[in-house]
Amino acid sequence: MRRTFRTVAAGAVCSAALAALTAVPAQAREPEHRAPHWELKDTGAAGVRFRGLSAVSRDTAWVAGTGGTVLRTTDGGASWRNVSPPGAGDLQFRDIEAFDARRAVVLAIGEGEASRVYRTDDGGATWTESFRNTDTKAFYDCLTFFDRRHGLAMSDPVDGRFRILSTGDGGRSWKVLPSQGMPAALDGEAGFAASGQCLVASGPSDVWLATGGGARARVLHSADRGLTWTATDTPVPAGDPAKGVFALAFRDRTHGLAVGGDYRPDQSSPQAAALTHDGGRTWQPAATPQPAYRSGAAWLPHSRTAALAVGPTGTDLTTDGGRTWRTVDTGSYDTVDCTADLGCWAAGEQGRVARLER
């Protein structure tokens, strides 16, 4: 959107332990028996805000942020390598999708040619620019992949409809999809380039797009890799350029979470969470939402009911599939991602990157 945003342990075991954070006073917890908690990793990049994050495993993760910065760790955050694309210092990286320790695709956001996509096949030693936006009306926000070859990127509305890019070769080349299958955008509606989670996929063909800024905060769904879409209203407040759904998380093609609110720090964010059990056809408000704006969300690995949401004022946990949330940490993070081998990572301002430890 053309606004300020532009410029775990497995299953129930992890859920119960995280919940203990809110039940046991910090001074009563012995260090050797601490419940799962965020442990900051020194990135050496205090001046960078990381809104792009792709967790590959407990050992390997990539982050992308301001100043054209891309970092990679392969030792669980003990050390970080600056693998930023050459000449990208003026770019704002807001999303990154990594397939392993060597292959990744990163998205720069902005109007016109500021929106670009780069790919690396050698751990960031070299990068190839695979897309540069030449339409001054387009502004790309997020990208996602169904598998190692097929992926999409989305732009704010162009001529009244969200624009979708598609790749079938792992991000080496891109094409704009036809717009006929995309519903008309609302006045002022756009996406938030806040955490790389305004466009998310689950399975071989399902993808969801989160919006804000219009009269209603909506989620658009495609079951055919972006060719045709349906739009559904959510109960998350909108009606202002700073309000809407900022992040989506789907643990399968049916069960999903939406989080957001109002990103302005002096504004409250009531009812800023919703959940779906039917693939996004309908959305229900959380009975007890997060207490403030949240920009990122992720399901905990191997759990059907536990997930995390993060934002500048803290991290919240749900253990009932998004119906109720409780704050478990007050550190500032913009985005969060979890992996099948029980690795959860978070990233945000001032070079902050953390891994969930226990």
Side-chain angles (χ1 to χ4, degrees), residues 20-351:
L21 279 172
T22 62
V24 181
Q27 63 270 24
R29 293 194 298 270
E30 295 296 334
E32 62 270 27
H33 299 299
R34 293 183 69 185
H37 59 281
W38 290 124
E39 183 175 287
L40 284 168
K41 307 296 183 179
D42 184 8
T43 63
V48 179
R49 188 163 196 166
F50 293 117
R51 294 189 186 273
L53 165 67
S54 186
V56 177
S57 67
R58 278 188 58 80
D59 293 328
T60 299
W62 301 64
V63 290
T66 54
T69 305
V70 178
L71 304 184
R72 183 194 62 153
T73 182
T74 56
D75 56 12
S79 64
W80 294 84
R81 182 178 178 185
N82 188 330
V83 294
S84 306
D90 293 333
L91 299 180
Q92 299 274 335
F93 288 136
R94 295 293 181 90
D95 199 357
I96 187 166
E97 300 291 333
F99 308 114
D100 51 39
R102 296 183 61 79
R103 292 173 289 182
V105 178
V106 64
L107 171 72
I109 61 97
E111 295 181 349
E113 293 191 2
S115 284
R116 305 179 194 181
V117 178
Y118 294 83
R119 178 183 165 106
T120 182
D121 290 294
D122 54 14
T126 61
W127 293 84
T128 300
E129 181 183 308
S130 58
F131 172 78
R132 182 179 297 205
N133 174 46
T134 58
D135 190 333
T136 58
K137 295 179 289 185
F139 191 124
Y140 286 84
D141 298 290
C142 295
L143 58 83
T144 191
F145 277 83
F146 303 96
D147 52 43
R148 291 173 179 263
R149 295 185 57 82
H150 301 92
L152 302 176
M154 59 81 68
S155 164
D156 288 342
V158 176
D159 298 328
R161 299 177 190 273
F162 285 94
R163 174 168 289 181
I164 303 296
L165 278 182
S166 175
T167 180
D169 56 12
R172 295 178 179 87
S173 64
W174 299 82
K175 64 178 180 180
V176 176
L177 293 182
S179 62
Q180 292 89 332
M182 176 67 70
L186 304 175
D187 288 344
E189 189 177 29
F192 290 100
S195 60
Q197 296 176 322
C198 60
L199 185 72
V200 300
S202 180
S205 58
D206 286 278
V207 59
W208 296 264
L209 187 162
T211 82
R216 304 180 302 280
R218 304 196 295 174
V219 172
L220 281 64
H221 171 240
S222 171
D224 54 12
R225 292 184 180 170
L227 293 176
T228 60
W229 298 78
T230 57
T232 302
D233 293 348
T234 75
V236 175
D240 184 280
K243 295 180 179 180
V245 176
F246 282 70
L248 298 169
F250 276 79
R251 67 173 173 83
D252 52 39
R253 67 188 307 267
T254 303
H255 299 88
L257 305 171
V259 301
D262 188 325
Y263 72 74
R264 294 171 295 190
D266 60 340
Q267 299 295 315
S268 62
S269 292
Q271 301 176 331
L275 60 150
T276 181
H277 298 293
D278 56 14
R281 288 190 292 273
T282 61
W283 291 86
Q284 297 80 46
T288 305
Q290 300 90 346
Y293 155 71
R294 296 295 183 250
S295 55
W299 290 89
L300 272 71
H302 310 297
S303 174
R304 298 177 61 84
T305 58
L308 298 171
V310 300
T313 62
T315 298
D316 302 297
L317 166 74
T318 179
T319 57
D320 56 14
R323 288 186 289 275
T324 62
W325 296 83
R326 68 184 74 185
T327 301
V328 295
D329 185 87
T330 57
S332 176
Y333 299 102
D334 293 310
T335 186
V336 59
D337 195 19
C338 295
T339 63
D341 69 343
L342 314 182
C344 282
W345 296 79
E349 63 183 345
Q350 298 178 354

